[in-house]
Amino acid sequence: MNEFERALILATQAGLPLVARPYAALAESLGCSEHAVIAGLQNMLASGRIRRIGAVPNHYAIGYTANGMTVWDVDDDEVDELGLRVGQLPFVTHCYRRPRSLPAWPYNLFAMVHGASQDEVRAHMTSIRSLLGTACRADDVLFSTAILKKTGLRLAA
Amino acid sequence: MSDFSPLDAVDRKIIDTLQGGFPLSPTPYADAAVALDISEQELLARLQRLLAEGILTRFGPLFQIERCGGAFVLAALAVPDADWERVCRTVNDFPEVAHNYRRTHSLNMWFVLATETPEGIGEVISRIEAATGLPVHAFPKEREYFVEMKLPARERPNE
């Protein structure tokens, strides 16, 4: 990441200006051209340093009142193949392999499932459970009961 | 938790259409408004309202700090109920805490740390442990199988 890209992150991490020419407004505060801002964001998008540009909704506000972090203890030899398949399920928004923290935490596969109710999330878990089959020894679901903070990334200026 | 004002069809269309792909053109709101079949002024006014009401937490680029040389790590704390408010304030005060959720488990506080360098993670974990007096359980991702946090806006039950 070069200095200009870092400056672009700092200038946009709280959001884009809500004005007709937001990139020109950013350019003015960064002391560069509108074209440089657009090209810089385009580069970061193309290289995956920006995942996407747009609206970040509060999922409670758009009807997903049940947010379940489903966690699974899956055989180490099978977890990569199965994790990829769990990630393809339409109701899974994030799916990762993470280290266990034994004895308190036996789970190595995390799949985030959003639904309109806890029952809907539990029904989706049934599908995941049958996909994992005997490779899965235990599972749990941790529902979120409050968003305590959701600012996203914040670099220090 | 759903004390949000109702969304109308246009709000939902904005949320569904603009969770990515915002134009990198000189007049992106005007260009996006054409696709939504509303005016630029209406789009700007609605985005302002959706942000003010907390229905959108942000409107802008979503950065992948790992591709920029930094790190994201999921971490959890087991916070005693009696100490909840203090620990919550303490943890949220760290700018490295990108989001934080209360969850139903003895590990009841789950947050994501984002730092500009991988070394920053261990350092901020130590500072959170010192400030809270609680051990931080870190769950760095070992593999990412899928990430696509785009959800269509639904009608809420109270609408």
Side-chain angles (χ1 to χ4, degrees), chain A residues 63-68 70 91 113-129 141 143, chain B residues 154:
Chain A
Y64 295 85
T65 45
N67 156 248
T70 73
F91 46 81
V113 177
H114 292 269
S117 68
Q118 295 198 355
D119 283 347
E120 184 183 333
V121 171
R122 288 184 202 283
H124 289 324
M125 282 184 80
T126 306
S127 313
I128 298 176
R129 206 173 283 122
V141 56
F143 286 105
Chain B
R154 289 186 167 187

Side-chain angles (χ1 to χ4, degrees), chain B residues 16-76:
Chain B
D16 290 352
T17 309
L18 290 186
Q19 282 182 56
F22 189 63
L24 283 166
S25 60
T27 53
Y29 296 104
D31 299 341
V34 169
L36 290 161
D37 209 16
I38 56 176
S39 70
E40 179 187 34
Q41 285 69 28
E42 183 175 3
L43 176 57
L44 284 166
R46 282 180 182 264
L47 287 174
Q48 230 140 33
R49 179 175 55 76
L50 292 169
L51 286 162
E53 293 183 357
I55 292 166
L56 298 181
T57 57
R58 228 152 50 76
F59 188 87
L62 209 69
F63 295 100
Q64 170 34 312
I65 191 75
E66 288 150 322
R67 296 268 174 89
C68 306
F72 276 125
V73 166
L74 177 69

Side-chain angles (χ1 to χ4, degrees), chain B residues 52-151:
Chain B
E53 293 183 357
I55 292 166
L56 298 181
T57 57
R58 228 152 50 76
F59 188 87
L62 209 69
F63 295 100
Q64 170 34 312
I65 191 75
E66 288 150 322
R67 296 268 174 89
C68 306
F72 276 125
V73 166
L74 177 69
L77 287 173
V79 183
D81 279 345
D83 211 10
W84 179 265
E85 292 301 326
R86 180 190 71 88
V87 173
C88 188
R89 263 197 315 276
T90 305
V91 169
N92 284 353
D93 276 349
F94 281 85
E96 295 88 350
V97 173
H99 14 95
N100 188 6
Y101 290 86
R102 184 167 194 159
R103 293 193 179 277
T104 53
H105 193 271
S106 54
L107 290 174
N108 53 0
M109 184 182 285
W110 288 78
F111 47 93
V112 171
L113 298 171
T115 60
E116 239 177 288
T117 63
E119 301 75 45
I121 293 288
E123 192 250 336
V124 71
I125 286 177
S126 301
R127 285 194 287 129
I128 291 174
E129 289 186 328
T132 60
L134 298 169
V136 171
H137 299 258
F139 297 97
K141 72 179 160 199
E142 296 175 328
R143 271 203 62 181
E144 178 177 304
Y145 301 117
F146 184 75
V147 177
E148 186 60 278
M149 189 58 208
K150 285 186 198 168
L151 294 169

